[in-house]
Amino acid sequence: MAQEKLIIKMKEIDKIAFIVTKNGQTLSTRSKGKTKYYIPGGKRETGETDEQTLIREVREELNVKIIANTIQYVGTFSAQADTAKEGVMVKMTCYSAQYEGVMTPTSEIEEIKWLNYKDMDLISEVDKKIFAFLKEKNSIT
């Protein structure tokens, strides 16, 4: 009798995030109907590069224009996805960039807020890893 093998396939949600820090804080957003804050960004559309996703998502969520030639890779972080079943991971590939315009919440964004390391109870699991990384780099307090 053949032995059955249990194969667990973990699902990964691939997201791109926009890191902006100033005055010891990092930019976060809260979507309509949500209680937690998230670093702005989102999922890529079919065929999009990281840079194209970043530019589109930031325009859609914050109504500002990313200056493409200033985009810099910050890091990639992974954790259990909030509100998803156990084993569903979110991978956030993070970039910083300069932008033009004044940030205003648009589409699904209810609020823009500047947070620091002491605000860990307000953010998602993957954002906690990003905040810890930013604190280690002395980008936030």
Side-chain angles (χ1 to χ4, degrees):
M1 202 184 237
Q3 204 173 23
E4 289 186 41
K5 290 185 181 179
L6 178 62
I7 298 173
I8 299 172
K9 186 172 182 176
M10 305 254 287
K11 180 172 168 49
E12 184 176 75
I13 301 167
D14 179 29
K15 289 188 158 188
I16 304 300
F18 181 45
I19 304 292
V20 182
T21 59
K22 73 175 185 182
N23 301 325
Q25 298 179 308
T26 193
L27 177 72
S28 291
T29 56
R30 185 176 54 78
S31 296
K32 292 176 181 168
K34 303 278 184 171
T35 57
K36 290 193 179 194
Y37 289 85
Y38 298 88
I39 293 172
K43 298 176 193 168
R44 80 179 74 239
E45 292 181 355
T46 305
E48 275 186 331
T49 65
D50 285 7
E51 291 80 7
Q52 290 167 332
T53 303
L54 181 72
I55 290 167
R56 177 184 52 76
E57 285 287 344
V58 168
R59 185 182 64 247
E60 288 175 2
E61 293 185 358
L62 303 172
N63 203 31
V64 294
K65 181 183 176 193
I66 294 286
I67 301 169
N69 66 354
T70 68
I71 296 172
Q72 293 188 330
Y73 175 75
V74 173
T76 302
F77 306 86
S78 185
Q80 169 68 37
D82 288 340
T83 69
K85 66 181 181 182
E86 188 67 32
V88 177
M89 304 296 283
V90 62
K91 178 182 83 170
M92 297 272 277
T93 305
C94 302
Y95 294 90
S96 64
Q98 294 175 19
Y99 61 91
E100 296 173 337
V102 177
M103 287 188 197
T104 53
T106 59
S107 65
E108 74 267 12
I109 302 302
E110 177 102 19
E111 181 183 7
I112 296 171
K113 189 168 187 161
W114 293 91
L115 301 176
N116 60 28
Y117 193 72
K118 71 173 177 50
D119 296 313
M120 292 290 241
D121 58 327
L122 302 176
I123 60 176
S124 71
E125 291 305 308
V126 73
D127 284 12
K128 289 176 184 178
K129 290 184 176 186
I130 297 166
F131 274 49
F133 172 82
L134 294 173
K135 181 162 177 52
E136 186 179 299
K137 297 288 183 195
N138 295 316
S139 296
I140 63 171
T141 57

